[in-house]
Amino acid sequence: MRSREGRSYESRKGVVALVGVVTLLTAGCTSSGSPSGSGSSSSGASSAKQMRIAYVTSGLDGWIQANVDALKRGAQTSAVTMFNANYDPAKLTGQLQSIAASKQYDAVAVVPFTGLSVPAIKTVIDSGAKVATVLVPAITPATNQLVPGAVIATGEPYERTGRSIGTLTVQACKKLNPCNVALIIGSKTIPADQTFTTGFQAAIKGSDNIKLVASGEGKFDPQAARSTAQNILQAHGDLNVLVTEADNMTGGAELAVRDAGKAGSIALIGHGASVQGCAAVKSGTWFGTTVSLPQTNGEIAGKALRDAVFNGAKPANPTPDPVGDFPGGQTITQQNVDKCPAQWSQ
């Protein structure tokens, strides 16, 4: 990872290319391939039985890469095939339905579109595959509720995440009146992002000095967030705080702030406690970020799927909350940046 001084968001697209690898189910037996519409995959030899896992995601970025790698460690398998819906709920539904019909996979990990993906997830469960939902709660973004029949849910309650970022915003605005704030989320059409916004607005509601003057979408992509931030800055030259729903979008917004000659005069806040985000908070370039734990999340989900597939076991806690148990809470500023977990890279 590059340091703050050397990192270049311009050369990053915020999308990590992931290549699923399908290995032998047992020594001497090969997989028959992926369902129609899947990502590319290949077969490899295995000296011991490996789980075949389909990882179905609403989008790809550094958080997902870290989660997939950790899930492989927890499940003790390299036989993971990636499916990317590219933020299209209908496409993700079709992918899950194809996976269920194919019966090629022992387990499925899915980053769902909250609510919209539940019927298709149930189809996968009914097909006999073990299911884990990760990152985004499947039923309601306010709580990490387990889909009936699923093994485990390791999502983050998005209303709480929004409130945590709202709390940081209140802190950044403490000495300003008025304090003009702009918010960039991933997509206004994604249920979890809508709930994130609700939590954020609830956190800042009691602060009369805070004025939410602009909002926009960044598609969890640095360049898209940079463009949105540029438009916001052109319309609001008196902006004090710029907040985004993900560190990689804050990285793009930071470039827009620099382009506008306002570096150091606008407080930047992100979400995810990425390698770059933690470094930026430590240096003072960003005011703060909030914790997300893709590696912890992935290892817990992978182990639970493995235990379910091979032992028929159920986890003692089917809805764990690694972020909620993080020492010191979810918000990271210079006061506690030494505890910043940095479990993923943009």
Side-chain angles (χ1 to χ4, degrees), residues 94-261:
Q95 290 169 335
L96 288 171
Q97 290 171 340
S98 294
I99 288 166
S102 75
K103 296 186 181 295
Q104 291 183 14
Y105 299 97
D106 303 298
V108 177
V110 56
V111 181
F113 290 95
T114 302
L116 302 176
S117 302
V118 172
I121 291 171
K122 289 181 177 178
T123 299
V124 174
I125 294 170
D126 291 344
S127 76
K130 305 300 182 182
V131 171
T133 58
V134 298
L135 178 58
V136 179
I139 295 179
T140 167
T143 60
N144 193 27
Q145 188 176 350
L146 188 70
V147 176
V151 173
I152 195 167
T154 59
E156 301 175 10
Y158 263 51
E159 184 175 14
R160 184 187 67 193
T161 299
R163 285 180 178 270
S164 295
I165 293 182
T167 297
L168 281 177
T169 303
V170 171
Q171 293 174 17
C173 287
K174 189 174 182 179
K175 297 181 180 180
L176 298 173
N177 191 7
C179 183
N180 297 319
V181 176
L183 172 66
I184 299 175
I185 64 172
S187 171
K188 295 180 179 180
T189 63
I190 295 177
D193 294 6
Q194 294 168 356
T195 300
F196 168 92
T197 302
T198 299
F200 175 83
Q201 291 174 334
I204 66 173
K205 184 177 181 180
S207 299
D208 293 337
N209 62 316
I210 296 178
K211 309 298 180 185
L212 185 59
V213 298
S215 63
E217 298 177 318
K219 305 299 183 184
F220 299 102
D221 176 77
Q223 293 303 324
R226 181 181 187 179
S227 177
T228 297
Q230 287 172 336
N231 293 335
I232 290 172
L233 289 167
Q234 287 172 3
H236 301 279
D238 56 352
L239 195 68
N240 302 115
V241 180
L242 206 167
V243 182
T244 90
E245 190 185 354
D247 277 4
N248 52 2
M249 293 194 294
T250 302
E254 180 186 347
L255 290 176
V257 169
R258 289 182 183 178
D259 293 342

Side-chain angles (χ1 to χ4, degrees), residues 26-41:
T26 56
C29 248
T30 60
S31 165
S32 60
S34 303
S36 175
S38 74
S40 61
S41 62

